[in-house]
Amino acid sequence: MMRAAAPKGVAVLGSTGSIGTTALRVLDRQRDRFRVNALTANSNGALLKEQARKFSPAFVGMVESQADADEAWKSGTEALIAAATRDDVDIVVNAIVGAAGLDATLAALQGGKRVALANKETLVIAGDLVRDACAKGFGEVVPVDSEHSAILQCITGHPTSQIRRVVLTASGGPFRDWTVERLTTATVDDALRHPTWRMGRKITIDSATLANKALEVIEAHFLFGLPYENIEVVVHPQSVVHSFVEFIDGSVVAQMSVPTMELPVLYALTHPERVADDGVPAFDPVRLSPMTYESVDHARFPALRLGIAAGVAGGAAPAVFNAANECAVAAFLAGKIGFADIPPAISSALDRLSDLPAGTREQLLDADAAARRHVREMFKC
Ligand code: NAD
Ligand code: MG
């Protein structure tokens, strides 16, 4: 008689956030296959306690952080690394927001774990270091981001040499139809009203500026080893097609589903296998019609081009892009700057700081801190 395989141990970093809670819903349904052995969060202690009661993990970490410090990413890193490198953890779901997730990803990969990566900022800051950590420790990164999960689902079984081009879809965010003038009046509430996805505050603002799509282009470059000229973006307001992959014979494969993060989270846990799961709403092409596509208006959403240019420039530029954006978004959410101030803040930091040295983790994190300082000085906040 065949014995069922032992459940795989999972750590969820950022368990109280949007992706963290989504991951726990999926893991709750898949208890035969996965066991939650570690949880960390740095907000919503009551929810963390409730999660700990429900899943009884061996490790629970409430991570302190100082959101306004230049080196906010450093705080609480030890607890994240402790959770990510445990012997009873096979898969680390990194659902932390921002640069704070970097060291835990590197440590998990060096320890040979699978990282189910939602924390795209990690790859943007230090894509080469992540690649090196995978090679050194035999770990692997499997994307949670829906667009990259879609690409992975389309290309699995095909070498990169058979891919001609990928096209990431973007919902266009809440300001898809707004004029440049109107964008200068956008409030935090306006920006948080995303048309298709319910997500954490930072990524929701990134979706409104399209900085999120820039982060995703860089993420795709590092995940799939694709040159930037082969990664494109199209606006698809319904968020049903999550990406297209065009192969060298001209055939285009797309992955679709109703907009839910449960599917990419589940696939990141089970890739390349698929397992039965009844949590994803049924696909109804008629109800989901029409599906439409538009070009990006770069004049109204300059953050996308700024981020792609930073990716192409390489070196410290992607880390500077990410940190300047994180800092400007935090200032916008705190009511200190306007929505239209975000792209100029990124642009100014890139002009000044893109040439900083970027060969090591320390140098990249110095560039990260310099970009945050630059934005704070620019707006005296
Ligand atoms: P969120 O703000 O809802 O949750 C973030 C989680 O990380 C919380 O549990 C928080 O306590 C924890 N955290 C925040 N700062 C921390 C720090 N300094 N140290 C330790 N823990 C910290 O964010 P989210 O929307 O779940 O996004 C998480 C990541 O997933 C981001 O990188 C985002 O870009 C990516 N992502 C999110 C979605 C989505 O649907 N929400 C989709 C694709 C990708
Ligand atoms: Mg995405």
Side-chain angles (χ1 to χ4, degrees), residues 4 26 83 98 137 142 160 175 196 232 244 291 298 316 321 323 342 349 362 375:
V26 172
V142 183
T160 307
F175 303 141
T196 49
E232 292 175 20
F244 299 96
M291 285 187 232
H298 291 281
F321 172 80
I342 298 173
E362 287 67 29
V375 172

Side-chain angles (χ1 to χ4, degrees), residues 52-117:
R53 259 197 309 274
K54 183 163 182 181
F55 291 95
S56 310
F59 181 99
V60 181
M62 190 64 189
V63 180
E64 301 292 327
S65 84
Q66 303 122 33
D68 284 338
D70 276 344
E71 300 194 336
W73 54 270
K74 265 188 187 162
S75 49
T77 299
E78 289 75 14
L80 298 175
I81 292 176
T85 55
R86 291 176 58 84
D87 286 343
D88 62 0
V89 165
D90 305 292
I91 303 176
V92 176
V93 178
N94 186 341
I96 290 171
V97 59
L102 174 62
D103 284 343
T105 293
L106 293 176
L109 294 171
Q110 275 153 12
K113 318 279 189 201
R114 167 177 292 196
V115 176
L117 188 69

Side-chain angles (χ1 to χ4, degrees), residues 312-331:
V312 171
V320 169
F321 172 80
N322 178 68
N325 180 55
E326 277 191 32
C327 193
V329 169

Side-chain angles (χ1 to χ4, degrees), residues 120 145-147 216:
K120 62 191 93 184
D145 221 348
S146 55
E147 297 77 2
E216 292 186 356

Side-chain angles (χ1 to χ4, degrees), residues 106 108-112 128-140:
L106 293 176
L109 294 171
Q110 275 153 12
D128 288 329
L129 297 185
V130 170
R131 208 159 36 199
D132 292 350
C134 287
K136 204 163 135 198
F138 302 103
E140 63 174 344

Side-chain angles (χ1 to χ4, degrees), residues 14 16-19 42-43 95-96 100 118-121 145 199-200 261:
T16 57
S18 163
I19 291 291
N42 88 334
S43 54
I96 290 171
N119 179 228
K120 62 191 93 184
E121 295 89 347
D145 221 348
M199 309 180 285
M261 289 308 294

Side-chain angles (χ1 to χ4, degrees), residues 234-254:
V234 70
V235 174
H236 166 47
Q238 297 81 18
S239 304
V240 173
V241 171
H242 301 302
S243 276
F244 299 96
V245 177
E246 184 180 82
F247 289 94
I248 47 177
D249 59 3
S251 184
V252 178
V253 177

